[in-house]
Amino acid sequence: MEFYLPIAELPVNVGLILAMSAAVGFISGMFGVGGGFLMTPLLIFVGIPPAVAVATVSPQITAASTTGALAYWRRRALDVRLGLVLLGGGIVGTLLGVLFFNAMRRVGQLELVITISYVTLLGAIGSLMFVESVRSILRRRRGRVVPPRRLPRPWYFGLPLRLRFPQSRLYMSVIPLVTLSVAIGFVGAVLGIGGGFMVVPALIYLFRIPTAVVVGTSLFQILFTMIAATILHAVTNHSVDIVLAVLLIVGSVFGAQFGARAARNIKGEQFRLLLALIVLAVAVRFIFEIGVTPADPFSVVISEIRS
Amino acid sequence: MRARLAVAAVALAPTVASAESLTVSLSHHRVQITSTYTGAELVVFGLIGRDAAGAARAGGYDIVITARGPRAATVVREKQPLGPIWINRAQVKFFDLPVTKAVLATKPLEDIAEPELRRRYRIGLDTATIPKVDASAATGREIEFRAALLRLKTSSGLYTQNERGVVFIADNVFRGNVPVPATAPLGNYEVEVALFQGGVRLAQETTNFEVTKAGFEQLVARESREQSWLYGALTAAVALMFGWIATVIFRRD
């Protein structure tokens, strides 16, 4: 069944979009990430204009993280205070990101910015996660169960403006937390990703936050950041397609439920290895896009229609 | 146009054979984009009027119908390697280029008119029919960019050519189906019908139609611009509601 999207201004196959978003939803439910880093490239791949894809993924991530955040909230596996600090930075970052997005769109280099950012960001994070998870799997194979090492407190914990986060058993400066969340809000708005796949490892590795509360807290922060991103994109560039958003949401919330169930049977390291592989696969796909001799080096862009 | 031709015909009837006139009608003048829109087709009907004084000529008539969509500045970019990556570097900007173009004819265009004539009347999908480019264009390679533009426009279905697209349903009555692609932009479309015989253009007539959004599509497009705060908040609210509903449904499972 074909449906004409009012903002993207083209007809899409409803079944295809639903199937695509269900698949992405499955992965997002499994790993507690919004799935934007998969959804946005897929949408661009099926022909949705990049600006509409990036803007419309925000409401989809909103819905996906509502479901997740509520589930973690019920289990109290969520550090609200930490989430609020991250959120403050996230909204500032989103605002800056949307402004940058609009500027790049005017200059006509939006696609290049999106592609290069995906390659560097996903490549770097994917590799880091990959190396880390393979190491810990090998360690476990050799039978050495690593006791949770008491690492020295990193220097940035001691910066000013320290705050206590009882639920995360943490007492640290908010400066590094806010810096992280501004950065993630920024790339999130530019690339149409929630940033869960960056927030989660950052909270675990950089801030030593217990794994139990990390996913819930990151979902909480993503939820509110993406509400802000939806509204900011709608107001500043009018690229949010509500019909496409509903299709993506319906597919992904259902997929996410099954993904969350599948995740219960996977061990921590394997879990991280899988996510690393998915992130790397997307990065490789983008490397092909800019690194391989294109089938057709030419492309056509319509700059302004005069009617 | 017709009036002028008629005057010309009266004045010159015995010597010049231009005694034909053209009457053209479109099946509809408005294409409405609704939720189920996946492209449309308009029917062009035409009647060739012959002056009684004009001698019947040997050889049949040929018709070329050209439907041009709204015009836009169009940029063709070329990717070139920069170190290990390929990025858009060279570009040529075409001003005033129709976003869509459909050419229909009774037979192959080269059998209808000479290249010179086709270029003058901008008939057909041919690099020569593309209007001029801006001064800063990559000199010398302009022709490559024109060719690329035509190739991409054709492969995306925005430019079409059908050399069997016009049929005569009677000696002097013809019909042609003008396609409107699924990704056609909103705006005014111009339909130009030209009558040829023996390589000479005898008459030309122009009409037009409009592509607009209707119903739900129009409502959403308008609200997203005019009430963008409300629209954004509503979209976010819908997202939250769906997320919440999903947890309710799946908890009772």
Side-chain angles (χ1 to χ4, degrees):
Chain A
M1 194 187 109
E2 300 275 323
F3 197 98
Y4 190 91
L5 299 177
I7 306 295
E9 299 192 333
L10 49 90
V12 291
N13 187 304
V14 172
L16 173 76
I17 301 285
L18 285 178
M20 223 170 71
S21 50
V24 173
F26 183 85
I27 292 169
S28 78
M30 198 159 165
F31 298 105
V33 294
F37 73 97
L38 292 168
M39 191 70 99
T40 311
L42 273 174
L43 288 176
I44 296 173
F45 184 71
V46 298
I48 309 289
V52 177
V54 169
T56 305
V57 162
S58 313
Q60 183 263 321
I61 303 173
T62 305
S65 40
T66 307
T67 316
L70 281 174
Y72 283 95
W73 172 252
R74 269 187 222 111
R75 280 189 260 148
R76 293 288 176 271
L78 193 161
D79 188 332
V80 176
R81 179 179 276 200
L82 180 61
L84 285 174
V85 170
L86 293 174
L87 176 61
I91 288 178
V92 173
T94 303
L95 184 63
L96 296 175
V98 170
L99 294 177
F100 179 74
F101 178 91
N102 293 338
M104 283 298 110
R105 197 157 99 123
R106 276 195 296 276
V107 188
Q109 291 296 355
L110 184 61
E111 270 149 89
L112 180 70
V113 168
I114 290 179
T115 309
I116 290 184
S117 318
Y118 263 107
V119 169
T120 46
L121 202 67
L122 299 183
I125 290 167
S127 317
L128 280 174
M129 286 162 64
F130 180 79
V131 169
E132 187 278 333
S133 54
V134 167
R135 255 193 216 146
S136 57
I137 287 174
L138 288 178
R139 244 185 268 130
R140 186 180 284 240
R141 282 267 171 77
R142 290 198 209 99
R144 262 186 287 151
V145 178
V146 197
R149 267 183 296 166
R150 295 293 297 175
L151 292 160
R153 280 170 63 86
W155 61 270
Y156 47 78
F157 275 35
L159 290 170
L161 294 174
R162 266 165 276 183
L163 208 59
R164 199 169 291 284
F165 301 100
Q167 193 154 13
S168 304
R169 278 173 266 123
L170 195 68
Y171 176 63
M172 67 171 292
S173 160
V174 297
I175 290 172
L177 288 170
V178 169
T179 311
L180 170 80
S181 55
V182 168
I184 285 169
F186 181 83
V187 293
V190 175
L191 299 184
I193 56 182
F197 72 102
M198 296 182 286
V199 177
V200 172
L203 292 182
I204 294 175
Y205 299 123
L206 299 178
F207 300 117
R208 314 276 157 72
I209 289 163
T211 321
V213 296
V214 160
V215 176
T217 307
S218 119
L219 281 169
F220 172 85
Q221 181 254 341
I222 290 168
L223 168 61
F224 287 98
T225 312
M226 283 296 123
I227 291 176
T230 302
I231 295 173
L232 288 172
H233 274 299
V235 171
T236 62
N237 55 45
H238 313 289
S239 295
V240 178
D241 194 309
I242 194 168
V243 175
L244 181 60
V246 168
L247 292 177
L248 296 182
I249 289 167
V250 170
S252 64
V253 288
F254 281 88
Q257 296 297 327
F258 297 103
R261 265 161 231 201
R264 283 177 210 153
N265 310 317
I266 305 180
K267 281 203 198 87
E269 300 89 13
Q270 290 171 342
F271 183 86
R272 295 203 293 271
L273 178 61
L274 261 176
L275 182 57
L277 289 175
I278 292 170
V279 170
L280 280 177
V282 179
V284 169
R285 151 92 179 72
F286 275 99
I287 288 174
F288 267 97
E289 193 150 292
I290 58 167
V292 173
T293 311
D296 190 342
F298 292 96
S299 58
V300 172
V301 186
I302 290 164
S303 47
E304 74 254 34
I305 292 182
R306 297 196 285 108
S307 42
Chain B
M1 187 75 196
R2 238 166 54 217
R4 211 177 67 201
L5 276 174
V7 170
V10 167
L12 304 166
T15 49
V16 176
S18 186
E20 279 80 1
S21 66
L22 210 45
T23 311
V24 171
S25 171
L26 273 180
S27 55
H28 37 296
H29 288 274
R30 179 169 291 223
V31 173
Q32 294 199 319
I33 294 186
T34 58
S35 308
T36 52
Y37 175 82
T38 54
E41 219 170 50
L42 290 150
V43 186
V44 181
F45 284 104
L47 174 75
I48 302 166
R50 244 174 307 194
D51 193 309
R57 255 175 291 213
Y61 293 118
D62 287 312
I63 297 290
V64 181
I65 300 175
T66 310
R68 297 185 182 89
R71 284 157 194 280
T74 304
V75 181
V76 179
R77 297 199 175 115
E78 189 194 19
K79 285 200 175 82
Q80 288 170 354
L82 177 75
I85 64 167
W86 288 74
I87 64 168
N88 287 325
R89 299 188 71 189
Q91 67 171 49
V92 170
K93 191 171 187 178
F94 295 88
F95 290 110
D96 250 13
L97 188 78
V99 178
T100 66
K101 189 171 177 181
V103 180
L104 311 167
T106 41
K107 65 182 185 198
L109 294 175
E110 56 266 32
D111 299 339
I112 294 179
E114 291 296 311
E116 175 51 40
L117 208 59
R118 297 207 300 272
R119 183 158 59 242
R120 192 186 322 153
Y121 297 128
R122 291 207 170 132
I123 282 173
L125 298 183
D126 184 322
T127 50
T129 61
I130 295 175
K132 67 175 192 296
V133 300
D134 75 313
S136 66
T139 45
R141 301 192 48 235
E142 202 191 302
I143 192 74
E144 275 179 71
F145 281 83
R146 283 171 182 266
L149 174 66
L150 273 180
R151 189 178 68 241
L152 291 164
K153 283 280 195 182
T154 309
S155 65
S156 62
L158 291 172
Y159 278 24
T160 58
Q161 180 161 319
N162 183 354
E163 291 174 330
R164 295 266 179 278
V166 182
V167 290
F168 275 96
I169 39 184
D171 269 359
N172 59 343
V173 182
F174 60 88
R175 189 191 66 204
N177 289 5
V178 174
V180 183
T183 50
L186 306 184
N188 188 43
Y189 288 63
E190 184 193 279
V191 181
E192 183 191 284
V193 182
L195 170 67
F196 284 87
Q197 188 181 46
V200 179
R201 193 174 74 157
L202 300 178
Q204 188 196 304
E205 198 50 50
T206 306
T207 176
N208 52 59
F209 65 92
E210 199 185 2
V211 175
T212 55
K213 281 180 190 162
F216 174 73
E217 307 293 315
Q218 190 187 26
L219 177 80
V220 172
R222 193 182 58 224
E223 293 310 303
S224 76
R225 299 209 154 259
E226 286 175 11
Q227 316 244 25
S228 54
W229 277 99
L230 193 65
Y231 176 84
L234 181 74
T235 311
V238 167
L240 285 170
M241 195 189 69
F242 270 100
W244 177 73
I245 288 175
T247 57
V248 173
I249 293 175
F250 283 95
R251 198 151 47 136
R252 286 189 188 146
D253 236 3

